[in-house]
Amino acid sequence: MFNTPIELLNENVGSKIYMKRDDLIPFSFGGNKARKAEKFKKEIVKNKNDVVVTYGSSSSNHCRVIANMCKELGIKCVIVSPVENYKETYNSKMIRMFGAEIIKVPLNEVSKKIDEVMKILDEKNKPYFIPGGGHGNLGTEAYVDCYKEILNYEKNNAINFDYIFFASGTGTTQAGLVCGQYLNKDFYRKIVGISIARNKNKGKKIVIDSIKEYLNKDEKEFEELVEFIDKYTEDGYGKSNKDILKTIRSVLNNNGIPLNSTYTGKAYYGMLDYIKCNNINNKNILFINTGGLPLFFDDLEEISKWTY
């Protein structure tokens, strides 16, 4: 486990807001993708795989971390990426710098292309496939570990968090936290995933399916434990608005912590609005900073031009 620090933030919202700094995980700018990559790395080394295939967009933290991991291990990395809305980001520049092979295809052809690539590589190599975002049991397990770290912090600091908020994307971060909650029977607290792209019907189902797969059981209770909020997606992945960007600027000014409009800034803004709309007061609230520092610099020009 990484045991990333938890800090009390300077926020005046009627409750105390703490932040778990997974952005400080000491590999490739940290974040939840770095936490998950540590699990994949151990398996790749154990299996002696010589090439990794994964999927993600040009702004994907996951693809940047996996490309960096492959560079560190001295093995090939192949990334299948949807051509729609492909743009230059700091992540895409680093992915190329790490020497990853990027295959751009239409979104509806991604699955077919991955199958083709894996079939070709199987002939001469020993490939390892990582689903987009690190989805799967290893990704879920990474945040079961994170939940254990939260429990240790609570025990050592005589505190209980009433709410846990974070950016929910491919689903395994939220699934891991809920699995941790279920295994420890901590049903007094609410775990709230703020969707960064998916609608509630699709996103919640994926989280629940991941929970069932990891725990190898099907409980009606899982439905009640998964709170998946899709109110702040702004029409999809990578989409933002001025209020989200102002929130990012405020957190940086008041706490010295960079967020980003694709993941953490969107989730933090959603958390603040959720607190306000639900009249939450006098509670201990934990926000998990799942990282994405390079994406902050993609936002910086827009954030820095306002005066208010």
Side-chain angles (χ1 to χ4, degrees), residues 25-30 33-34 37 41 52 54 60-79 91 94-100 294:
I25 288 174
F27 180 75
S28 196
F29 301 99
K33 309 308 182 188
K41 180 181 176 181
V52 171
T54 193
S60 168
N61 290 319
H62 165 73
C63 291
R64 182 243 310 151
V65 169
I66 296 303
N68 201 166
M69 178 194 74
C70 290
K71 187 68 173 179
E72 178 193 27
L73 294 174
I75 63 177
K76 184 177 180 179
C77 180
V78 179
I79 296 171
N91 275 341
M94 281 189 280
I95 289 167
R96 287 200 307 274
M97 183 183 75
F98 296 138

Side-chain angles (χ1 to χ4, degrees), residues 38-278:
E38 185 68 16
K39 298 285 186 181
F40 294 117
K41 180 181 176 181
K42 289 179 181 178
E43 194 164 272
I44 289 165
V45 171
K46 179 182 177 181
N47 295 340
K48 298 182 180 179
N49 299 102
D50 57 3
V51 57
V52 171
V53 179
T54 193
Y55 157 75
S57 74
S58 60
S59 57
S60 168
N61 290 319
H62 165 73
C63 291
R64 182 243 310 151
V65 169
I66 296 303
N68 201 166
M69 178 194 74
C70 290
K71 187 68 173 179
E72 178 193 27
L73 294 174
I75 63 177
K76 184 177 180 179
C77 180
V78 179
I79 296 171
V80 178
S81 186
V83 71
E84 291 87 347
N85 300 319
Y86 194 94
K87 60 182 179 180
E88 278 291 288
T89 65
Y90 283 101
N91 275 341
S92 67
K93 291 175 182 178
M94 281 189 280
I95 289 167
R96 287 200 307 274
M97 183 183 75
F98 296 138
E101 178 183 350
I102 304 170
I103 302 174
K104 301 176 189 176
V105 297
L107 182 60
N108 62 0
E109 296 180 16
V110 165
S111 180
K112 178 182 177 182
K113 177 55 69 173
I114 289 172
D115 290 342
E116 290 176 359
V117 170
M118 290 296 290
K119 184 177 180 180
I120 292 170
L121 290 172
D122 271 330
E123 294 176 0
K124 295 183 179 180
N125 299 87
K126 192 176 182 182
Y128 184 93
F129 176 66
I130 302 177
H135 195 73
N137 279 346
L138 285 180
T140 299
E141 185 176 77
Y143 273 83
V144 173
D145 291 347
C146 180
Y147 194 85
K148 293 175 184 176
E149 294 172 20
I150 294 169
L151 292 181
N152 287 336
Y153 179 89
E154 289 179 319
K155 180 179 179 181
N156 293 334
N157 292 273
I159 186 175
N160 288 312
F161 293 115
D162 302 291
Y163 291 83
I164 299 176
F165 290 86
F166 49 90
S168 191
T170 57
T172 49
T173 296
Q174 184 164 3
L177 294 168
V178 174
C179 285
Q181 179 184 37
Y182 178 83
L183 291 169
N184 288 278
K185 307 303 178 187
D186 294 327
F187 302 133
Y188 63 87
R189 78 166 105 243
K190 184 172 286 190
I191 295 176
V192 183
I194 304 295
S195 175
I196 55 92
R198 289 173 172 160
N199 64 51
K200 183 174 181 178
N201 289 338
K202 180 179 180 180
K204 184 170 182 175
K205 182 181 184 304
I206 290 172
V207 174
I208 292 172
D209 287 346
S210 295
I211 294 168
K212 292 177 180 177
E213 181 183 358
Y214 182 79
L215 295 176
N216 194 28
K217 61 174 60 179
D218 186 353
E219 300 281 352
K220 291 183 179 179
E221 198 170 16
F222 299 155
E223 182 79 21
E224 299 175 1
L225 292 175
V226 176
E227 182 147 7
F228 187 90
I229 307 298
D230 65 357
K231 184 180 177 181
Y232 312 101
T233 60
E234 294 304 313
D235 298 322
Y237 180 81
K239 304 295 184 181
S240 184
N241 64 35
K242 197 168 184 177
D243 289 333
I244 292 171
L245 294 174
K246 283 183 176 180
T247 298
I248 293 170
R249 177 165 165 163
S250 175
V251 173
L252 184 63
N253 285 343
N254 296 332
N255 297 282
I257 299 171
L259 304 177
N260 65 81
S261 65
T262 302
Y263 300 102
T264 53
K266 184 180 284 189
Y268 196 92
Y269 167 76
M271 175 188 70
L272 294 180
D273 191 66
Y274 183 101
I275 291 169
K276 179 181 177 181
C277 291
N278 290 278

